[in-house]
Amino acid sequence: MEAAPNASNFLQRHQDYLGEFVYGGIDGSVTTFAVVAGSVGAGLDSSVILILGFANLLADGFSMSVGAYLSAKSEAHNYNKHKNVEYWEIENMPEEEREEVREIYRQKGFEGPLLEQVVDILTTDKDRWVDVMMKEELFMMEQRRSPLAIGAVTYVAFILVGFIPLALYLYDYFFPFAGDLFWTTCALTCLGFATVGGLKSYVTETSIWKGVLETLALGALAAGVAYLVGDVLERIIVG
Amino acid sequence: MEAAPNASNFLQRHQDYLGEFVYGGIDGSVTTFAVVAGSVGAGLDSSVILILGFANLLADGFSMSVGAYLSAKSEAHNYNKHKNVEYWEIENMPEEEREEVREIYRQKGFEGPLLEQVVDILTTDKDRWVDVMMKEELFMMEQRRSPLAIGAVTYVAFILVGFIPLALYLYDYFFPFAGDLFWTTCALTCLGFATVGGLKSYVTETSIWKGVLETLALGALAAGVAYLVGDVLERIIVG
């Protein structure tokens, strides 16, 4: 497989954050579609859909994006905590830490006097020494993505894709819609799922069809659950 | 700061997945609390809360955990894709790749004949060579956490913590509750947020108060948004 340096367009440059876009987008539309499907399953009024759909869209979008931001910040914090531990260990038990470096480079194929020279050089500079320990002992990599950007991308995707299941109900509130509101909304939402899934596959250079079908199946199953729960609970509680 | 090897209890051993637990738990309770707060803000019946609350809990929990699973799987896929590119480059343009290893180890403080010896050994074995490129050129680390476990932890946390805002309404359905349903639910939900936030801080060894307040503020703001949107839209739509 080969990298495609010429395809370094907008999507390629932003693929670091594409996971968040896909994740946030799917969650947004499932959240609002769950309100739509649950309400329709339970035979509730479409004013309920608009009220609770938007309440959920804004509250959940806020919560998910701030959650993603905090989670990324906490990961960075955790990295720094372990880094400080390594600095402490190098300061207070240098021989044990030297032996760890020795073992790591022994496994890379070094031995004898060359191994000792390599260990000497790597342990001369404390920053480089800690860098070896972080990557090779703890398998930890510094997060190079911005927690703020992670939160922002999640928010935009959530609101944007999450608006789709509500769009027709909002339109219908102002200009009565001639077709079947629920099934047209289902079709629009499927289109949204498929677009997000396809986008993901395009950028990660995997099979477009697999991405589209995977996302569609996920969304359809989640929506089906919401419809069924709404329908069954309506019979039990109201019916 | 010092590691606490003796505190390697259940929580410590599972802290790899704690981010998912906190993230899933908060999102679960915000989702259901948004239904509660939005419905109360809009003056809707508590049967709506039960129906749409559970529809949202199950559908969104499903979507979020499958989303987390797919996202982790896609990350692993992306890692392997880049790894294959590195194997291809080593095979087809070994001199450029040797020069990259040379540059990486020059920056670690190696020079002259020792640098050449180090490069020779690191590039003898293709797996080790690719390992250097992945960590030091691409800054990519193999995901050592199971995508399935990530999905499962997210699901359990979402359902468990997300059930809290619905618990009292469910109880009230069977045995009429004497107190104020909404405000008691608010208190219970706050307790849930605080517990999750505190748990996170305890395991990541950060300030408990900061963790509790951060999570509480996030949850309260999200819930406030849901209540306000429900209230405002109810006035506009239902009048």
Side-chain angles (χ1 to χ4, degrees), chain A residues 135-237:
Chain A
K135 285 181 188 152
E136 313 273 359
E137 185 203 3
L138 299 179
F139 303 104
M140 288 180 91
M141 194 67 79
E142 194 158 12
Q143 172 70 270
R144 294 157 70 243
R145 308 188 310 152
S146 145
L148 215 60
I150 286 176
V153 169
T154 302
Y155 187 76
V156 169
F158 194 99
I159 298 290
L160 219 64
V161 189
F163 177 69
I164 296 174
L166 300 176
L168 214 56
Y169 285 90
L170 189 67
Y171 176 88
D172 180 65
Y173 178 72
F174 293 106
F175 319 98
F177 180 69
D180 186 302
L181 263 179
F182 181 60
W183 290 108
T184 317
T185 292
C186 285
L188 281 177
T189 308
C190 281
L191 209 66
F193 281 137
T195 307
V196 168
L199 189 73
K200 185 185 91 173
S201 304
Y202 173 73
V203 177
T204 55
E205 288 170 36
T206 51
S207 154
I208 300 273
W209 285 113
K210 206 187 141 218
V212 168
L213 288 178
E214 214 175 59
T215 317
L216 261 181
L218 166 60
L221 273 170
V225 169
Y227 184 89
L228 274 178
V229 174
D231 187 40
V232 168
L233 284 187
E234 197 271 339
R235 277 163 215 248
I236 297 173
I237 294 174

Side-chain angles (χ1 to χ4, degrees), chain A residues 39 44-51 169 172-173 181, chain B residues 237:
Chain A
S39 300
L44 298 170
D45 200 67
S46 73
S47 66
V48 172
I49 294 179
L50 282 180
I51 294 171
Y169 285 90
D172 180 65
Y173 178 72
L181 263 179
Chain B
I237 293 173

Side-chain angles (χ1 to χ4, degrees), chain A residues 31 60 77 105 108 128 206, chain B residues 31 60 77 105 108 206:
Chain A
T31 290
D60 228 13
H77 178 91
Y105 273 81
K108 284 188 195 291
R128 283 179 204 140
T206 51
Chain B
T31 291
D60 228 13
H77 177 90
Y105 273 80
K108 284 188 196 288
T206 50

Side-chain angles (χ1 to χ4, degrees), chain B residues 104-121:
Chain B
I104 288 163
Y105 273 80
R106 191 176 285 131
Q107 280 173 22
K108 284 188 196 288
F110 292 85
E111 51 188 16
L114 181 60
L115 176 60
E116 290 313 309
Q117 280 180 283
V118 167
V119 172
D120 281 345
I121 287 188

Side-chain angles (χ1 to χ4, degrees), chain A:
Chain A
M1 227 180 302
E2 204 172 336
N6 287 337
S8 64
N9 51 21
F10 180 84
L11 281 178
Q12 290 284 343
R13 269 183 293 122
H14 292 79
Q15 72 161 291
D16 282 358
Y17 297 96
L18 199 82
E20 273 75 24
F21 190 89
V22 170
Y23 201 16
I26 291 176
D27 211 69
S29 52
V30 166
T31 290
T32 50
F33 195 69
V35 172
V36 172
S39 300
V40 171
L44 298 170
D45 200 67
S46 73
S47 66
V48 172
I49 294 179
L50 282 180
I51 294 171
L52 293 189
F54 279 104
N56 242 314
L57 182 66
L58 294 171
D60 228 13
F62 173 80
S63 137
M64 196 186 179
S65 48
V66 176
Y69 164 76
L70 290 178
S71 166
K73 239 187 49 179
S74 149
E75 200 181 302
H77 178 91
N78 193 36
Y79 178 88
N80 287 326
K81 194 186 75 181
H82 282 92
K83 198 168 176 176
N84 287 337
V85 171
E86 288 300 327
Y87 274 110
W88 183 91
E89 289 179 351
I90 281 173
E91 204 67 57
N92 293 280
M93 35 207 269
E95 263 322 304
E96 286 88 335
E97 294 298 300
R98 274 180 69 90
E99 180 53 37
E100 285 177 2
V101 173
R102 196 175 286 123
E103 190 44 45
I104 288 163
Y105 273 81
R106 191 175 287 132
Q107 278 172 24
K108 284 188 195 291
F110 292 86
E111 51 187 17
L114 181 60
L115 176 60
E116 291 312 310
Q117 279 180 287
V118 166
V119 172
D120 281 347
I121 287 187
L122 289 172
T123 55
T124 306
D125 184 283
K126 276 178 191 160
D127 295 337
R128 283 179 204 140
W129 191 348
V130 166
D131 188 62
V132 173
M133 305 314 290
M134 293 306 288
K135 285 181 188 152
E136 313 273 359
E137 185 203 3
L138 299 179
F139 303 104
M140 288 180 91
M141 194 67 79
E142 194 158 12
Q143 172 70 270
R144 294 157 70 243
R145 308 188 310 152
S146 145
L148 215 60
I150 286 176
V153 169
T154 302
Y155 187 76
V156 169
F158 194 99
I159 298 290
L160 219 64
V161 189
F163 177 69
I164 296 174
L166 300 176
L168 214 56
Y169 285 90
L170 189 67
Y171 176 88
D172 180 65
Y173 178 72
F174 293 106
F175 319 98
F177 180 69
D180 186 302
L181 263 179
F182 181 60
W183 290 108
T184 317
T185 292
C186 285
L188 281 177
T189 308
C190 281
L191 209 66
F193 281 137
T195 307
V196 168
L199 189 73
K200 185 185 91 173
S201 304
Y202 173 73
V203 177
T204 55
E205 288 170 36
T206 51
S207 154
I208 300 273
W209 285 113
K210 206 187 141 218
V212 168
L213 288 178
E214 214 175 59
T215 317
L216 261 181
L218 166 60
L221 273 170
V225 169
Y227 184 89
L228 274 178
V229 174
D231 187 40
V232 168
L233 284 187
E234 197 271 339
R235 277 163 215 248
I236 297 173
I237 294 174
V238 184

